[in-house]
Structures are given as structure tokens and as C-alpha cells.
Amino acid sequence: MIRLLSNQEYDTTFNSPMLVVTATAQPVVDIWPYVNLLVQNRVVSPYVFQNELIACVYRNGNATYDHVLLPTDSEHRFIVVVVNISQATIYGYYLLDLAQEYGIEDKFPNVPQA
């Protein structure tokens, strides 16, 4: 079952510093069956699913959540699959528009690399 997170639920998964762990993160759960459900519900492009495209992975400061950013057709919009690391489950997904929510112009915020 897919679950769209509210702003408040999404915000509770943050803890500074948010680190980019795209190159080093070991998956605690296979996100692709969940992403397939997102495709079926027209949230994620079939192309993203078929090619297993991940734009970036962020881990919160206390290593309890990963934010797996999936690309969309817009440079500043992502579908974020939020993974609860300690429970090895998917908490839900969030529609992230960096330009609208954070006023960010670059594709990825300037975050320290893990």
C-alpha cells in the first residue's frame, strides 16, 4: 500500500545534518516493488521504474531515515521515497518541489557528502 506523507510527517524524518549517501548507502529495503505501485498510481514514470533511476539519496543525521529522490520531468521536482532504516520499511512517499519549498535553484542542495 502506498502512502502520501503530509508536510508534517515528511518534516519529522529530517535530522541535521542531512547527508548525501547516494554512492555509499546500502539498501535496507528493496524500494522497487513500492515504486512499481507508484507507477501503477501514476505518481512515478514507468521509465524511472524500468531503469531504476535514483537522483540522490539523503540520510538524516541520526541515521533513522533515508530519502530516496526519484527524478521527474522537472529539474526541481522529485518523488521522495522515505525509508525507515531501523524498521527496514518504507514510511511513505512525498512530492518534493525544491524551488517552491526551499527556493533552491540548484538540482541538489549544498549538503556535506557522507
Side-chain angles (χ1 to χ4, degrees), residues 5-99:
L5 300 174
S6 69
N7 288 348
Q8 183 179 3
E9 289 171 320
Y10 181 67
D11 287 346
T12 64
T13 66
F14 282 87
N15 188 294
S16 274
M18 292 295 288
L19 299 173
V20 176
V21 295
T22 310
T24 60
Q26 295 296 316
V28 296
V29 64
D30 181 5
I31 67 164
W32 298 109
Y34 188 82
V35 174
N36 189 32
L37 292 174
L38 293 174
V39 169
Q40 293 171 20
N41 284 272
R42 298 181 179 181
V43 176
V44 171
S45 158
Y47 183 82
V48 169
F49 171 71
Q50 291 163 356
N51 294 282
E52 296 188 354
L53 299 179
I54 294 174
C56 192
V57 179
Y58 289 95
R59 178 162 293 158
N60 72 0
N62 53 4
T64 53
Y65 289 97
D66 279 346
H67 291 187
V68 182
L69 280 66
L70 306 177
T72 67
D73 60 357
S74 173
E75 180 180 10
H76 299 291
R77 290 188 199 128
F78 300 90
I79 306 300
V80 182
V81 176
V82 180
V83 176
N84 182 318
I85 296 170
S86 61
Q87 295 180 9
T89 59
I90 295 175
Y91 181 49
Y93 77 98
Y94 184 75
L95 307 172
L96 176 63
D97 185 330
L98 295 175

